Amino acid sequence: MAELDHGERVELGVDLLAHLETESLTLADAVDRIESVTTNPSLTREILDTAEKRGIIDREGGRLRTRRGGTYVRFEQQVIEREGDYECRRCGAGLSTGHFVRFEAGELGPFGPSCVRKILGRE
């Protein structure tokens, strides 16, 4: 992820929000997922603003509603497993198998099996 520039991180974060498998979530839960792309508060805010402007989410107080249906991640096609020595981007656990999610904007990961489900809203 260190090799991604500002614009690529925004696009990856927007792609992540577009593929959430839940109709509604708290702002805190959305930020938890976006932190797999960036921990920079201004970039997180830009990702949320961009997603809202593009009609991907609506913000209502402390909640987000997703507005695009049918954009769920196909696990068989978009989640790639790779053997190696990884650290989960969400929880920091050591992994021997990393799960990477392929979006149009790029690849996000590695994650453990439960964290990849968590960031996509399949928990």
Side-chain angles (χ1 to χ4, degrees):
M1 291 288 301
E3 65 279 356
L4 295 179
D5 69 21
H6 180 89
E8 291 168 328
R9 284 183 190 272
V10 170
E11 291 305 316
L12 197 53
V14 170
D15 257 356
L16 176 61
L17 291 174
H19 287 84
L20 289 178
E21 297 188 18
T22 184
E23 292 180 17
S24 175
L25 70 163
T26 66
L27 181 57
D29 285 341
V31 169
D32 178 58
R33 288 162 170 87
I34 293 170
E35 284 178 342
S36 65
V37 176
T38 183
T39 56
N40 179 316
S42 65
L43 189 53
T44 297
R45 195 169 19 263
E46 185 175 345
I47 290 168
L48 290 166
D49 290 346
T50 302
E52 188 173 30
K53 286 176 190 170
R54 292 183 186 173
I56 294 168
I57 61 168
D58 280 325
R59 288 191 264 192
E60 297 174 357
R63 295 197 68 78
L64 300 182
R65 283 188 314 114
T66 56
R67 293 175 46 186
R68 290 176 45 177
T71 58
Y72 301 144
V73 168
R74 289 179 220 78
F75 262 68
E76 306 78 36
Q77 297 172 351
Q78 290 177 270
V79 177
I80 311 307
E81 292 181 20
R82 292 193 195 115
E83 300 298 317
D85 185 23
Y86 301 108
E87 184 177 298
C88 179
R89 286 199 57 80
R90 182 170 180 276
C91 72
L95 306 169
S96 59
T97 302
H99 294 75
F100 297 82
V101 185
R102 287 190 180 160
F103 294 115
E104 262 186 52
E107 189 173 271
L108 185 58
F111 300 103
S114 59
C115 285
V116 74
R117 291 184 170 287
K118 176 75 175 174
I119 67 150
L120 295 172
R122 284 195 179 186
E123 67 252 301

